[in-house]
Amino acid sequence: LKNFSDSFIEPWLGGKRPNSLGVSGSYLVIQQGIQTSALFYRNQTTNVSLDYGRRLTFPDDFFTSRTSVAYKYYNIINPARFFPTLRGEEEAQINIFTFRQSFDRSSVDAPIYPRSGSTMSLSVEATPPYSLFRRNQNFQDQSQAERLRFLEYHKWRFNANWFLRITGNLVLSAKVE
């Protein structure tokens, strides 16, 4: 197992407003067995991302917006060992290029142990629609590894958490995801 990661965030980009800019990168290698063995498995993952966040004044001052662009690359040798859909493949290379937009609202009284207020988050993460760009290509003729070469998906998430002080430090937390 090898893991290297680095990240940097500037929480007050420009110095006048709490606009944030973040850059991060990571490299991970998970390897099991001896390379000459049939049970050998290696997953090499590279990830880079760029994030920009800013506080919004509409509809109130508790809102923030975050925009992210990320690229993740997987190079997997003997992938069928952990991914049965890739049976018969010696190697799989997966590219994931994503755009993410989130809107968050937080009105909690304390970020570590909130006793009142609420947090809400709505986010959308999506990859480019590669299949629209390659309409003439017959995907049924491709192997599973070739189909996964440029992964395509969209992910919508909503989280909400309300905090209500009952007495002293006893807090009721209701959560929806």
Side-chain angles (χ1 to χ4, degrees):
L1 175 70
K2 294 178 187 175
N3 186 12
F4 304 98
S5 66
D6 198 12
S7 64
F8 171 78
I9 187 164
E10 170 56 55
W12 284 84
L13 183 67
K16 296 181 182 177
R17 292 184 164 180
N19 295 334
S20 64
L21 180 66
V23 177
S24 64
S26 66
Y27 176 77
L28 171 70
V29 176
I30 299 172
Q31 185 171 316
Q32 294 179 351
I34 300 170
Q35 196 161 5
T36 57
S37 166
L39 297 176
F40 177 75
Y41 170 80
R42 187 187 82 203
N43 181 354
Q44 176 183 341
T45 307
T46 305
N47 185 22
V48 294
S49 69
L50 178 67
D51 307 307
Y52 176 72
R54 66 187 189 110
R55 186 175 295 166
L56 303 175
T57 56
F58 177 81
D60 61 32
D61 291 343
F62 296 117
F63 278 85
T64 57
S65 167
R66 296 194 195 306
T67 305
S68 301
V69 177
Y71 174 71
K72 189 176 275 192
Y73 173 74
Y74 294 94
N75 185 355
I76 307 170
I77 295 177
N78 199 6
R81 190 138 177 249
F82 289 97
F83 304 104
T85 58
L86 294 171
R87 192 172 321 278
E89 302 288 342
E90 292 180 17
E91 185 175 2
Q93 296 175 350
I94 303 169
N95 296 278
I96 306 172
F97 185 74
T98 59
F99 302 98
R100 185 174 191 271
Q101 178 63 52
S102 71
F103 295 100
D104 306 313
R105 183 182 191 277
S106 178
S107 63
V108 295
D109 61 342
I112 294 175
Y113 184 70
R115 292 169 187 83
S116 65
S118 64
T119 61
M120 294 183 191
S121 176
L122 173 65
S123 68
V124 176
E125 180 177 315
T127 62
Y130 300 112
S131 57
L132 287 178
F133 306 140
R134 302 180 294 178
R135 287 185 186 208
N136 298 336
Q137 197 165 10
N138 187 357
F139 294 103
Q140 292 180 353
D141 294 341
Q142 294 180 341
S143 69
Q144 186 68 12
E146 288 172 332
R147 282 188 231 152
L148 293 175
R149 190 169 191 89
F150 292 98
L151 205 58
E152 233 180 283
Y153 69 89
H154 57 91
K155 185 188 314 185
W156 299 69
R157 297 183 88 175
F158 175 73
N159 300 320
N161 202 351
W162 294 272
F163 302 94
L164 177 65
R165 183 191 309 251
I166 296 175
T167 179
N169 284 332
L170 182 61
V171 177
L172 174 67
S173 172
K175 189 173 196 172
V176 173
E177 289 190 32

